Amino acid sequence: MQKSKLLFLLILTFINCGNEIDSENCIPYFSLNINKDLNSPEMNKVLTPGFVKISGGNKGILLINVNGSDFVAYDRVCPANDCSNPMSFENGLTLKCACDNSEYAVGKGIGGAPQTEGFTCPAIEYRVIKSGTRIIITNF
């Protein structure tokens, strides 16, 4: 009898675990694996805290050096709308979609959270690995 109660509680827990994001309306993720050398001229702006826009992803990628050693990367595609223009990087804190004026917070540990009421899809954040002078941007 105890095993059946435990099993019931486990099943109930998994059923109730949910995500408030309606992912059907969000831009889907796809495989990505970009490898860049920090010593290349295009990467000069991220040798110290700063940002650089690089090719790849859906609409290009924004790579940010947060504090000299930590990096974050976001796709510039509008998360809730397949806008033809990439998002712009505003005031060093947010990505903004020109098609619907939605804004998304960017930075270490922020995860692209929507800052505009009514929007639930986050900006697509990629994993960044620094290995020596190489930066690997991936989502797997």
Side-chain angles (χ1 to χ4, degrees), residues 43-61:
M43 302 297 280
N44 280 343
K45 292 181 181 178
V46 290
L47 291 175
T48 59
F51 71 94
V52 66
K53 297 172 187 173
I54 58 176
S55 336
N58 286 305
K59 299 276 186 205
I61 295 172

Side-chain angles (χ1 to χ4, degrees), residues 6 22 31 36 43 51 57 79 85 88 97 108 111 128 132-133 137:
L6 181 60
D22 180 8
S31 293
K36 296 281 186 181
M43 302 297 280
F51 71 94
N85 297 321
S88 59
C97 182
K108 185 152 180 74
V128 180
T133 62
I137 303 168

Side-chain angles (χ1 to χ4, degrees), residues 104-127:
Y104 305 86
V106 295
K108 185 152 180 74
I110 296 175
Q115 303 299 298
T116 308
E117 191 171 328
F119 288 83
T120 57
C121 300
I124 297 173
E125 182 177 5
Y126 295 115
R127 183 176 178 209

Side-chain angles (χ1 to χ4, degrees), residues 1-138:
M1 192 61 141
Q2 289 289 58
K3 287 183 182 179
S4 62
K5 284 182 182 178
L6 181 60
L7 181 60
F8 176 75
L9 286 174
L10 284 172
I11 291 171
L12 188 59
T13 300
F14 285 116
I15 289 172
N16 286 328
C17 287
N19 191 342
E20 293 180 23
I21 297 171
D22 180 8
S23 61
E24 279 186 27
N25 295 324
C26 300
I27 299 293
Y29 287 77
F30 65 96
S31 293
L32 179 79
N33 192 15
I34 297 174
N35 193 327
K36 296 281 186 181
D37 186 352
L38 285 171
N39 292 324
S40 69
E42 78 170 316
M43 302 297 280
N44 280 343
K45 292 181 181 178
V46 290
L47 291 175
T48 59
F51 71 94
V52 66
K53 297 172 187 173
I54 58 176
S55 336
N58 286 305
K59 299 276 186 205
I61 295 172
L62 178 71
L63 176 66
I64 304 169
N65 180 330
V66 179
N67 58 15
S69 60
D70 293 321
F71 292 84
V72 292
Y74 293 91
D75 202 298
R76 294 179 59 214
V77 66
C78 293
N81 185 353
D82 192 14
C83 188
S84 60
N85 297 321
M87 288 194 285
S88 59
F89 189 44
E90 305 282 322
N91 62 18
L93 302 171
T94 59
L95 283 167
K96 184 173 184 176
C97 182
C99 295
D100 57 20
N101 288 321
S102 58
E103 294 185 2
Y104 305 86
V106 295
K108 185 152 180 74
I110 296 175
Q115 303 299 298
T116 308
E117 191 171 328
F119 288 83
T120 57
C121 300
I124 297 173
E125 182 177 5
Y126 295 115
R127 183 176 178 209
V128 180
I129 302 163
K130 183 176 184 272
S131 178
T133 62
R134 309 250 4 130
I135 288 286
I136 301 162
I137 303 168
T138 184

